[in-house]
Amino acid sequence: MALPAEGAAWAGGNVRSAAGAAPEPDGLENIQQKKIFKENKEKTQQSEEPCAADSVDSLMAEMPFVDTDIEDEHAMCATSELSTKKKRKRTIGKEIEEGIERKKKKNKQYQPNYFISLPITNPKITGSIQAVQDAIIQKDQRFSKAMVRSGSLHVTMLVMHLSSEEEIGIAVGALSDSKVFVDNLLKGKRVDLSFQGIDHFRNQVGFVNLAENDHTALLKEIAETMKKIFQEKGIMTGEERSFKPHLTFMKLSKSTELRKQVKKIDSSLYEDFKNHYFGDEILHRFDLCSMLKKKQPNGYYYCESSIVFGEKQAAEPDDAELVSLSKRLVENAVLKAVQQYLEETQNKSRQTDGSPAKTEEAASGSKNESDNDNSK
C-alpha cells in the first residue's frame, strides 16, 4: 500500500507538475509583459512632460523665423499635451511664416519714403562736423563710406509714407497748414538751436546732440503738432516714438560692404569731440523731402515743398545767407577781373584800329621803308 501511496504521491506530484506546467510559463510571460508595459508607460510620461526652455530655444534657433517673438510659443509649449504638441508641429511653421509675410508686406507698403527736414545751413556747424568726420577717417579709412555729406545735414522732424502724387499733394497741403501754426507759435521771435556733444544709436549711427533748452522744447512742440496735422490729413507718419531731435553725421547703413567689415562705431573714434560745441542753427525753414528721388547737386534731398517763417530773417540774414552772398560777390568780382584782363590783353595786341592784320601790314610797311633807306 505504501508503494501505491508513494506512487500516488509521485503520480500526484507529476499530475501537479503536469497541471502546473502550463501556468508557470504564463506567469513568467505576464511578468515580462508588465515590465515592458511599465517601461512604455514611463517613456510615454516622459514624452508628455512640458518641453524644456533650452530644447525649445534650440528648435527655434534652427527655424527661419528665429527673430520672431516666441514668448507665447514657450507658454503654449510648456502647457500643451502630446497630441496638441504634434498638431502644433504641423501648423506652427505655416502660421508664423504667413504672419511674417503679412508683416513684410505691410512694412514694405508703409515704409517711410518722405520726411520733413530742418536743413542745417550754418557753416560753423557743417565745418565742425567735417572736422569730426576727417578725424574719424584718419583713424580708420573704412568709415569714409559711412559719412553724411555736408549738403545733406539736417534734423528729421517726422517721416511718412506717400504712395502717390495725390498723397504728395496732400502732404504739401499739410505742410502749408503747419506754417500757420508755427508762425503763431513763434510770433516772429528768433529760435536758436544749439548743437553740442556727440552720441550714438546702438553704435550704428553717430549724431550731434541738440542741447536741451527752451528752444529745444519749442521744436518738440512743433514736431508733435505737425505730426497731428499730417495724421488728420490721413498721412502715415511713422512710429509712435517720442521725438528726439538729432543731427546725424555718420551711419553704417550707408554701405552694405562696410557693415560686413564693421559691426559697430567705436566711441573712441570721436572721443576728442564728445562734448564739442558745434554752433547754433536759426530755425527758419522746413522742407518736405524725398528719400528716394535724386538729390540736388549740393547733396541736399529732392524737395517737394518748403515753408519759411520768421520775419527777422529778411532784415537779419543768418550766417549761411551772408556766406552765400559773399560767395556770389567774390565770384562776380573774379569774373569781372578775368574779363578785364582779357580785354587788356587783346588791346595790347592791337594797333590804332585794333586789327591784328593792320598791325602786321604796318610792321611790313615800316620794314620796306627801312630797306629803301638802306638801298639809297
Side-chain angles (χ1 to χ4, degrees), residues 309-329:
F309 34 80
E311 296 178 359
K312 290 186 179 182
Q313 300 305 316
E316 300 178 8
D318 60 17
D319 292 341
E321 292 173 340
L322 289 173
V323 169
S324 178
L325 178 60
S326 299
K327 187 177 180 181
R328 288 197 300 270
L329 291 174

Side-chain angles (χ1 to χ4, degrees), residues 174-217:
L175 180 61
S176 179
D177 292 346
S178 300
K179 177 176 171 24
V180 177
F181 165 78
V182 175
D183 283 335
N184 291 336
L185 190 63
L186 298 182
K187 296 178 180 177
K189 62 185 177 183
R190 171 169 163 160
V191 177
D192 295 321
L193 302 173
S194 298
F195 291 89
Q196 182 172 8
I198 294 179
D199 206 346
H200 64 87
F201 291 132
R202 295 178 297 178
N203 294 109
Q204 301 293 305
V205 176
F207 62 88
V208 177
N209 277 313
L210 188 60
E212 289 289 341
N213 53 37
D214 293 341
H215 289 176
T216 306

Side-chain angles (χ1 to χ4, degrees), residues 28-297:
L28 179 60
E29 185 175 351
N30 288 337
I31 292 172
Q32 291 175 343
Q33 289 178 350
K34 288 179 180 180
K35 185 177 180 180
I36 293 171
F37 177 77
K38 184 177 180 181
E39 290 176 353
N40 289 339
K41 185 176 181 181
E42 290 176 353
K43 291 179 180 179
T44 302
Q45 289 176 345
Q46 291 176 358
S47 65
E48 290 181 348
E49 289 179 356
C51 53
D54 57 348
S55 63
V56 175
D57 290 341
S58 176
L59 174 64
M60 299 301 287
E62 297 174 359
M63 304 186 80
F65 45 87
V66 61
D67 292 333
T68 304
D69 185 5
I70 59 173
E71 184 177 353
D72 292 338
E73 302 296 335
H74 275 272
M76 292 178 68
C77 183
T79 56
S80 64
E81 294 182 354
L82 184 61
S83 59
T84 307
K85 181 179 177 181
K86 289 181 179 180
K87 183 178 180 180
R88 286 182 64 247
K89 279 183 179 180
R90 293 192 299 267
T91 60
I92 185 172
K94 184 177 180 181
E95 290 174 354
I96 295 183
E97 286 177 1
E98 289 177 352
I100 291 175
E101 287 301 320
R102 286 195 298 269
K103 187 175 182 180
K104 284 182 178 179
K105 186 175 181 180
K106 183 177 180 180
N107 288 343
K108 186 175 181 180
Q109 184 177 359
Y110 296 109
Q111 184 175 359
N113 57 355
Y114 277 84
F115 66 101
I116 299 299
S117 166
L118 189 168
I120 302 301
T121 58
N122 185 349
K124 182 177 181 180
I125 298 177
T126 57
S128 296
I129 288 178
Q130 183 66 58
V132 175
Q133 294 174 330
D134 292 342
I136 293 174
I137 294 173
Q138 189 174 3
K139 293 179 180 179
D140 193 332
Q141 184 66 33
R142 295 176 298 177
F143 285 105
S144 61
K145 300 176 181 178
M147 299 305 172
V148 177
R149 289 181 58 184
S150 59
S152 301
L153 293 173
H154 69 280
V155 174
T156 300
M157 299 296 291
L158 70 154
V159 297
M160 67 198 75
H161 178 84
L162 305 176
S163 58
S164 65
E165 290 297 325
E166 181 181 358
E167 289 190 355
I168 293 174
I170 295 174
V172 170
L175 180 61
S176 179
D177 292 346
S178 300
K179 177 176 171 24
V180 177
F181 165 78
V182 175
D183 283 335
N184 291 336
L185 190 63
L186 298 182
K187 296 178 180 177
K189 62 185 177 183
R190 171 169 163 160
V191 177
D192 295 321
L193 302 173
S194 298
F195 291 89
Q196 182 172 8
I198 294 179
D199 206 346
H200 64 87
F201 291 132
R202 295 178 297 178
N203 294 109
Q204 301 293 305
V205 176
F207 62 88
V208 177
N209 277 313
L210 188 60
E212 289 289 341
N213 53 37
D214 293 341
H215 289 176
T216 306
L218 186 62
L219 184 66
K220 291 181 179 180
E221 184 178 354
I222 291 174
E224 290 301 320
T225 304
M226 290 180 71
K227 186 174 183 178
K228 291 178 182 178
I229 292 174
F230 275 78
Q231 288 177 340
E232 288 173 356
K233 297 279 188 178
I235 301 295
M236 301 291 295
T237 55
E239 300 176 352
E240 295 295 330
R241 293 182 180 179
S242 58
F243 175 60
K244 179 178 173 59
H246 61 279
L247 175 54
T248 299
F249 66 89
M250 68 180 298
K251 50 186 176 180
L252 296 182
S253 61
K254 283 182 66 66
S255 171
T256 304
E257 181 181 352
L258 178 62
R259 295 191 73 172
K260 293 178 181 178
Q261 301 173 2
V262 181
K263 299 303 179 184
K264 67 176 186 176
I265 302 172
D266 194 333
S267 60
S268 64
L269 293 171
Y270 51 80
E271 186 68 29
D272 297 338
F273 299 87
K274 205 159 190 179
N275 298 311
H276 180 74
Y277 169 70
F278 289 82
D280 291 355
E281 180 72 29
I282 299 175
L283 179 63
H284 72 284
R285 193 178 93 216
F286 288 133
D287 302 321
L288 173 61
C289 297
S290 170
M291 298 181 185
L292 305 178
K293 293 182 179 180
K294 186 177 180 179
K295 290 184 177 181
Q296 300 179 35

